[in-house]
């Protein structure tokens, strides 16, 4: 198998300032079980800031962020059967796992006992440090690559690979897809706006809770929520007591749970945390979005704007997800 061994061009942070700038590095050759893809777009996730600035305290510099990756297959290894050159594909927050524990066996790799290998800032099985999607191409084992339906936009697919799966997986796990039931969504950012879209596609009555009245019009008219409540307005909150079957909390930052607990029906008191989702859920979600015409709301930017975008995201100044146009701007 001939391999493409040219350098990969990316953008990396060198220190805790988190400022990104161009960076050349070597990707591994495409092995027998690997898929190599030309990256066309990469979504921006809060994780990108967290590791660029070493907020998580384990950053290995230089770090190339990005784990909402979409692109086009350019090479496949000799054992690869699910993909061919030219396919539209995606890569999410992890690129490897042990494959043998009980979680990996049921394709819930995100809970791998040995810990998953993250798409960037992780140690891969060959000992190299993984580098993410703010780059021209990436080489990933076949099992951690997802098929993006041909009729679905690559730009739309990018935010699904982290923001989307992080709400889709728990919604499916807790059976929040029963038509006619009522869902509360706390927070209306990258994750929350997708929870609203999924909720409506599942046939739920969706109430959005926000601290800011400025999002009311978009929640109801753009995203299709049924009801909008200002969470600090005690009267509005009390009027919804015992009315919800489910609540999905996507708000970042510290906030009290208690006021929301009173809104759940007596039969539905569950608190469960959730991380992204396994490969089974991921493929199912991509197919579901294509079938139901669900598209995240995005602002597409060139890579040269990435530092401003990261800053704006920290200030919650994005509706609702940034997507970097790698194909047309990373040169």
């Amino acid at each position: 198998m001939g391999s493409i061994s040219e350098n990969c061009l990316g953008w990396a942070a060198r220190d805790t300032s988190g400022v990104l700038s161009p960076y050349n590095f070597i990707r591994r050759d495409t092995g027998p079980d690997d898929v190599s893809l030309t990256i066309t777009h990469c979504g921006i996730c809060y994780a990108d800031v967290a590791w660029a600035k070493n907020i998580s305290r384990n950053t290995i510099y230089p770090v190339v962020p990005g784990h909402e990756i979409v692109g086009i297959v350019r090479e496949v290894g000799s054992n690869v059967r699910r993909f061919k050159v030219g396919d539209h594909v995606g890569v999410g927050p992890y690129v490897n796992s042990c494959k043998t524990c009980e979680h990996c066996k049921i394709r819930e790799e995100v809970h791998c006992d040995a810990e998953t290998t993250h798409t960037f800032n992780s140690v891969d099985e060959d000992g190299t440090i993984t580098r993410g999607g703010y780059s021209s191409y990436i080489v990933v084992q076949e099992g951690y690559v997802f098929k993006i339906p041909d009729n679905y936009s690559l730009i739309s697919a990018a935010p699904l690979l982290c923001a989307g799966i992080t709400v889709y997986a728990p919604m499916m796990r807790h059976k929040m897809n029963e038509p006619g039931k009522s869902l509360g969504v706390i927070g209306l950012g990258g994750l929350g706006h997708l929870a609203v879209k999924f909720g409506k596609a599942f046939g739920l009555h969706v109430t959005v809770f926000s601290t800011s009245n400025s999002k009311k019009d978009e929640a109801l008219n753009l995203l299709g929520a049924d009801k909008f409540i200002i969470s600090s307005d005690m009267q509005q909150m009390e009027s919804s007591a015992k009315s919800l079957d489910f609540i999905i909390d996507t708000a970042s930052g510290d906030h009290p749970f208690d006021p929301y607990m009173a809104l759940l029906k007596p039969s539905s008191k569950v608190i469960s945390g959730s991380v992204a989702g396994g490969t089974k859920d991921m493929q199912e979600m991509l197919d579901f979005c294509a079938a139901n015409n669900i598209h995240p709301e995005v602002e597409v930017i060139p890579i040269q704007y990435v530092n401003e975008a990261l800053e704006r995201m920290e200030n919650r100044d994005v509706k609702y997800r940034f997507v970097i146009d790698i194909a047309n701007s990373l040169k």
Side-chain angles (χ1 to χ4, degrees):
M1 184 91 220
S3 266
I4 305 164
S5 58
E6 82 233 34
N7 280 0
C8 187
L9 174 61
W11 276 52
R14 278 26 179 232
D15 56 46
T16 55
S17 71
V19 174
L20 299 163
S21 56
Y23 172 64
N24 278 297
F25 60 99
I26 305 282
R27 292 273 189 206
R28 72 166 184 265
D29 287 345
T30 308
D33 301 309
D34 288 332
V35 173
S36 175
L37 56 134
T38 299
I39 297 173
T40 59
H41 299 86
C42 185
I44 294 186
C45 177
Y46 181 72
D48 302 347
V49 170
W51 273 281
K53 291 189 169 180
N54 198 25
I55 293 166
S56 46
R57 300 182 184 243
N58 64 353
T59 301
I60 309 156
Y61 291 107
V63 62
V64 178
H67 63 200
E68 296 183 339
I69 301 167
V70 293
I72 298 166
V73 175
R74 60 182 215 154
E75 187 179 36
V76 296
S78 52
N79 297 339
V80 172
R81 294 290 170 266
R82 286 171 45 233
F83 301 102
K84 61 183 186 310
V85 171
D87 282 354
H88 289 184
V89 292
V91 176
Y94 49 89
V95 291
N96 205 350
S97 61
C98 80
K99 305 181 184 65
T100 54
C101 72
E102 56 177 334
H103 303 293
C104 286
K105 280 181 175 161
I106 59 166
R107 296 182 65 199
E108 286 285 353
E109 298 88 346
V110 70
H111 302 299
C112 174
D113 288 346
E115 195 181 19
T116 53
T117 302
H118 297 287
T119 304
F120 66 91
N121 199 63
S122 225
V123 181
D124 215 343
E125 58 186 30
D126 61 1
T128 58
I129 304 302
T130 57
R131 308 207 185 277
Y134 293 15
S135 60
S136 53
Y137 78 101
I138 192 169
V139 179
V140 178
Q141 285 185 30
E142 176 184 24
Y144 305 86
V145 177
F146 307 99
K147 177 87 181 80
I148 295 169
D150 291 334
N151 63 338
Y152 194 74
S153 137
L154 287 170
I155 294 173
S156 291
L160 296 177
L161 294 159
C162 178
I165 192 64
T166 302
V167 291
Y168 183 88
M171 289 177 85
M172 297 306 284
R173 186 165 66 244
H174 297 294
K175 300 189 170 47
M176 296 187 193
N177 59 343
E178 298 172 22
K181 293 212 163 172
S182 51
L183 169 71
V185 177
I186 305 172
L188 198 60
L191 277 72
H193 95 285
L194 283 167
V196 173
K197 290 185 181 237
F198 290 146
K200 292 310 297 176
F202 292 146
L204 306 177
H205 183 279
V206 179
T207 301
V208 169
F209 296 90
S210 179
T211 51
S212 154
N213 206 38
S214 64
K215 291 188 172 174
K216 181 172 184 174
D217 180 55
E218 287 198 347
L220 299 173
N221 299 319
L222 174 69
L223 305 174
D226 300 284
K227 197 171 173 186
F228 184 90
I229 289 181
I230 298 289
S231 49
S232 57
D233 183 330
M234 287 298 106
Q235 212 171 348
Q236 285 187 41
M237 292 286 280
E238 281 164 19
S239 72
S240 293
K242 298 182 181 174
S243 67
L244 300 174
D245 294 291
F246 321 106
I247 294 176
I248 189 156
D249 182 356
T250 69
S252 56
D254 293 335
H255 57 283
F257 281 134
D258 296 5
Y260 297 102
M261 298 302 282
L263 306 183
L264 285 168
K265 293 177 181 174
S267 58
S268 37
K269 294 217 182 332
V270 177
I271 292 187
S272 167
S274 184
V275 285
T279 57
K280 179 176 170 290
D281 284 339
M282 189 84 92
Q283 189 62 59
E284 194 181 281
M285 172 197 63
L286 289 165
D287 296 341
F288 179 82
C289 288
N292 291 277
N293 205 19
I294 297 170
H295 296 270
E297 304 297 324
V298 301
E299 181 177 333
V300 179
I301 61 159
I303 188 81
Q304 292 75 14
Y305 184 75
V306 72
N307 290 306
E308 290 90 337
L310 290 167
E311 198 174 313
R312 278 180 52 196
M313 187 185 58
E314 282 190 276
N315 297 325
R316 301 195 174 92
D317 174 24
V318 53
K319 288 176 178 172
Y320 282 86
R321 204 71 166 175
F322 284 116
V323 174
I324 306 169
D325 182 350
I326 299 285
N328 291 306
S329 66
L330 182 65
K331 299 279 188 271

